Amino acid sequence: MSRTSVLALRLAGPLQSWGASSRFTRRTTESAPTKSGVIGLLAAAAGIERGDDERLAPLAALRFAVRMDQPGTRIRDFHTAHHGVTGASMPLSERFYLADAVFVAAVEGDHTLLTDLRAALRTPAYPPYLGRRSCPPAEPVDLALYEDAHLEDVLASVPWQASAWYRRRHRTPQALTVLRETATDEPTTTADVQRDQPVTFDAAGRRHALRTVVTDSVSTPIPSGGGPQDAHDPFAALEALENESA
C-alpha cells in the first residue's frame, strides 16, 4: 500500500489572480487559490502538456486545501489590446487581482508522486505563476514535503507565512481560515460545491467537474523566533525613516 504524504506550497507575490470563471471582458478572481490553478502550476512544473489528460489525472486526484495567511487586497485593472494581425483595437477588459496576498496551499496523495512534483518545482519545465502568467511568485513556491501526513494536520502546524511587514502592522490573528476538500469518508452536509475539479486543460476546451469544499479554521501557528518572515525586508529602512520624521 502506498504512503500518503502532503506537499505544502507558499504562494506569495505582488499580484495573484485565481479565476474560477470568466465572462466576456470581465475576469474575476477568487479570494484564495483554486485547485485548478494550483494543479495547473504543478503540471506546468512537471512539463505536462495541456492536452495530456492521462498524465494530468493523478495530479487532479490529489486532495487539495489552502490556508489564508495574508488575505491581500482585491484590486481592479483595465486592459487594452490590439489584434496581432489586423492591428484593430480589441474590447476593453476588466481584470481583478489579489495584491500582497500569501497562502499556504497543500496537496495530499501518493508519496512518490509528491516527491517527483517537489523535484519538478525546484527545476520546473515551465515557470510557475500565481493564476496568470503576469503574476510570478515572489520566491520559490516549494515549502516542505511531509511524509505520512494528512492535510488537516499539516495546515494546523505549518508556521504562519505572512510577510514581515504584515506581521509588524497587524496583530497575530486568533485563527486562520482553511478551505479544504472533504475526505472520502467525511459527511458533505455542510460542504460547498465548486466547479473547480480539473478534467482537462486542453486549449480547445477546458473542462472542470464539481468538488466539495469545507471551510475550517486553525489556530495561528507562530514559529519560535519569528520564523522565515524575519528575513531581510527591503521596506524596513523606509519605515524607519518615516518613524524618525514623524
Side-chain angles (χ1 to χ4, degrees), residues 235-246:
F235 294 102
L238 294 177
E239 292 183 359
L241 290 175
E242 290 178 357
N243 294 333
E244 289 179 0
S245 61

Coordinates of all heavy atoms in Angstrom, one line a residue, residues 235-246:
F235 N 11.7 47.2 2.7 CA 11.0 48.3 3.0 C 11.2 48.8 4.5 O 10.7 49.8 4.9 CB 9.5 48.1 2.8 CG 9.1 47.9 1.3 CD1 8.9 46.7 0.8 CD2 9.1 49.0 0.5 CE1 8.6 46.5 -0.5 CE2 8.7 48.9 -0.9 CZ 8.5 47.6 -1.4
A236 N 11.9 47.9 5.2 CA 12.1 48.2 6.7 C 12.8 49.6 6.8 O 12.5 50.4 7.7 CB 12.9 47.1 7.3
A237 N 13.8 49.9 6.0 CA 14.6 51.1 6.1 C 13.7 52.3 5.9 O 13.8 53.3 6.6 CB 15.8 51.1 5.2
L238 N 12.8 52.2 4.9 CA 11.9 53.3 4.6 C 11.0 53.6 5.8 O 10.7 54.7 6.1 CB 11.1 53.0 3.4 CG 11.9 52.9 2.1 CD1 11.0 52.6 0.9 CD2 12.6 54.3 1.8
E239 N 10.5 52.5 6.4 CA 9.6 52.7 7.6 C 10.3 53.3 8.7 O 9.8 54.1 9.5 CB 9.0 51.3 8.0 CG 8.1 50.8 6.9 CD 7.5 49.5 7.4 OE1 7.8 49.0 8.5 OE2 6.6 48.9 6.7
A240 N 11.6 53.0 8.9 CA 12.4 53.6 10.0 C 12.6 55.1 9.8 O 12.5 55.9 10.7 CB 13.8 52.9 10.1
L241 N 12.8 55.5 8.5 CA 12.9 56.9 8.2 C 11.6 57.7 8.5 O 11.6 58.8 9.0 CB 13.3 57.1 6.7 CG 14.8 56.7 6.4 CD1 15.0 56.8 4.9 CD2 15.8 57.5 7.2
E242 N 10.5 57.0 8.1 CA 9.2 57.6 8.3 C 8.9 57.8 9.8 O 8.4 58.9 10.3 CB 8.1 56.8 7.7 CG 8.1 56.7 6.2 CD 7.0 55.8 5.7 OE1 6.3 55.2 6.5 OE2 6.9 55.8 4.4
N243 N 9.3 56.9 10.6 CA 9.2 57.0 12.1 C 10.0 58.1 12.7 O 9.6 58.8 13.6 CB 9.5 55.6 12.8 CG 8.5 54.5 12.4 OD1 7.4 54.8 12.1 ND2 9.0 53.3 12.5
E244 N 11.2 58.3 12.1 CA 12.1 59.3 12.7 C 11.6 60.7 12.3 O 11.7 61.7 13.1 CB 13.5 59.1 12.0 CG 14.3 57.9 12.6 CD 15.6 57.8 11.9 OE1 16.0 58.6 11.1 OE2 16.3 56.8 12.3
S245 N 11.0 60.8 11.1 CA 10.5 62.2 10.7 C 9.1 62.5 11.3 O 8.7 63.6 11.2 CB 10.4 62.2 9.2 OG 9.5 61.2 8.7
A246 N 8.5 61.5 11.9 CA 7.1 61.7 12.5 C 7.2 62.5 13.7 O 8.2 62.5 14.5 CB 6.4 60.4 12.7

